[in-house]
Amino acid sequence: MSLAARAVYRLASRVSTLNLRPKPARHASRPTHSAGGHATRRRALGLALTPLIIASSSSAASGSNAMPETYPRPIVVPPPEGGATTAVCIFLHGLGDTGHGWADVASSMPFEGVKWIFPTAPTIPITLNGGMRMTGWYDINDLSIDNIKDDRAQTLASTEYVQGLIKAEIDGGVAANRIVVGGFSQGGVIALQTALRFPERLAGAVGMSTYLALREDFPDAMSPHAKDLPVFLAHGTADMVLQYQYGVMSSELMTDTLGMTKVDFQTYQGMGHSACQEELQQLAKFIANVLN
C-alpha cells in the first residue's frame, strides 16, 4: 500500500476522533466534493465564542495592532513512535482559535518521520469584533471582498514569524524541500504569504477556506521557487464567512496571473467555513505526494 493510501486509510478509520462524518464526494468540471450534512471541526472554528468570531478570515484594518506582544509557544507533535524527524508540517489555525484546535490532525496523519508544528497566534484587538481581543494572525475590518482591507504590517509580522519557524527547522537539519506550511482561513492567509515569499523551495503549501492577501505585492514579492510550488487550495461553496468566491479568485490569480503551475483547487459542495472528511483525505494525499 502506498504512503498516500495508508494515510487515507488511517484517516478514514479515525472519523470519530476527528468529529467528522463521511459522505461520498461529487465531481464537477472543477474538482468538487459534497459536504452537505458533514460535522464541522468545532474547535478549529472557535464556536465556543460568538458567531462573529467564526470569522476566521482575512485581513484588515488600520495597522494599529501591527506588533503584538508575543507569539505563544507552538504545539509540537514529534514523529510517530519517536522516530527521527525527516520532514515537518506547520499548520496555522483561524481567528479565535489556538494550535490545539488542529493538533488532532497529527494523530490522523502519522507520517513516518514527520513532525507537526501548530503555532498559536498572538492575542490582539480585532476591529471586526468591536475591538475584542482574541488570537489572530492580523486584524480584520470586514468580510466582504469589496470592503476588506489588508492589515499589511501585522500580516507581514506573522509571515516573518512563521518563516522563522521554518528557518529554525532548516537549521536543525530538515531540508527546506521537506517542509510543508499550511493553514485554515486566517492561518491559510499567512501560510500562503510565507510559502510564496520564502527564499528556498518548500515541499508545498496548503490554504483551506482562505485567500491570497496583499495581492498587489505579487509577483514582485514571489520567491523564484514559487512558480512550481505545489499548492493545495480548498473551499466550500456554502462558506458564509469567507465566501467561495475568495477561493476561486485566489486560485485564478495564482495560476493565471502569477503563472503558478502546481495549484490544486478543490471545491466542496455544501461545505461552510469548516473542514470535512473528504477535504482532510485530499490533504493527506497532498502531503504524502509532496513529501515522497
Side-chain angles (χ1 to χ4, degrees), residues 11-255:
L11 189 59
S13 68
R14 299 182 185 200
V15 174
S16 60
T17 302
L18 289 168
N19 191 30
L20 300 170
R21 184 166 67 249
K23 188 165 183 175
R26 299 174 188 168
H27 299 274
S29 56
R30 187 187 296 272
T32 63
H33 308 274
S34 174
H38 66 284
T40 59
R41 298 183 56 87
R42 293 189 179 274
R43 283 188 300 150
L45 298 177
L47 291 182
L49 305 174
T50 66
L52 194 55
I53 296 174
I54 298 176
S56 201
S57 84
S58 70
S59 73
S62 59
S64 60
N65 307 320
M67 295 304 295
E69 305 80 45
T70 183
Y71 289 82
R73 185 182 299 275
I75 295 168
V76 177
V77 181
E81 301 177 0
T85 297
T86 59
V88 175
C89 291
I90 301 173
F91 199 90
L92 285 69
H93 63 79
L95 179 67
D97 196 13
T98 70
H100 289 282
W102 284 85
D104 58 351
V105 170
S107 62
S108 303
M109 303 180 193
F111 299 110
E112 183 178 355
V114 176
K115 175 170 71 176
W116 286 82
I117 299 176
F118 300 94
T120 294
T123 299
I124 61 174
I126 300 297
T127 300
L128 179 67
N129 285 341
M132 182 185 298
R133 293 179 63 85
M134 63 191 68
T135 52
W137 298 106
Y138 50 82
D139 189 19
I140 306 167
N141 74 314
D142 201 279
L143 297 178
S144 69
I145 293 177
D146 293 335
N147 296 323
I148 196 168
K149 296 179 182 178
D150 289 327
D151 177 4
R152 169 177 292 276
Q154 188 55 54
T155 298
L156 292 177
S158 290
T159 298
E160 183 178 0
Y161 166 71
V162 178
Q163 288 187 339
L165 295 177
I166 295 173
K167 291 174 183 176
E169 294 303 317
I170 294 173
D171 291 344
V174 179
N177 63 5
R178 299 282 294 162
I179 298 175
V180 176
V181 60
F184 172 80
S185 193
Q186 200 183 65
V189 169
I190 301 302
L192 293 178
Q193 292 292 320
T194 299
L196 267 62
R197 296 171 184 266
F198 197 74
E200 297 183 58
R201 170 69 153 73
L202 300 178
V206 175
M208 297 164 62
S209 301
T210 192
Y211 70 100
L212 182 65
L214 301 177
R215 293 182 290 278
E216 66 276 13
D217 286 8
F218 300 102
D220 292 346
M222 286 176 63
S223 159
H225 307 283
K227 285 205 171 183
D228 65 348
L229 174 74
V231 178
F232 175 77
L233 297 179
H235 221 108
T237 60
D239 193 332
M240 301 304 292
V241 178
L242 284 179
Q243 295 183 1
Y244 175 65
Q245 189 58 33
Y246 273 111
V248 175
M249 175 183 67
S250 298
S251 174
E252 292 177 349
L253 175 66
M254 294 168 75
T255 55

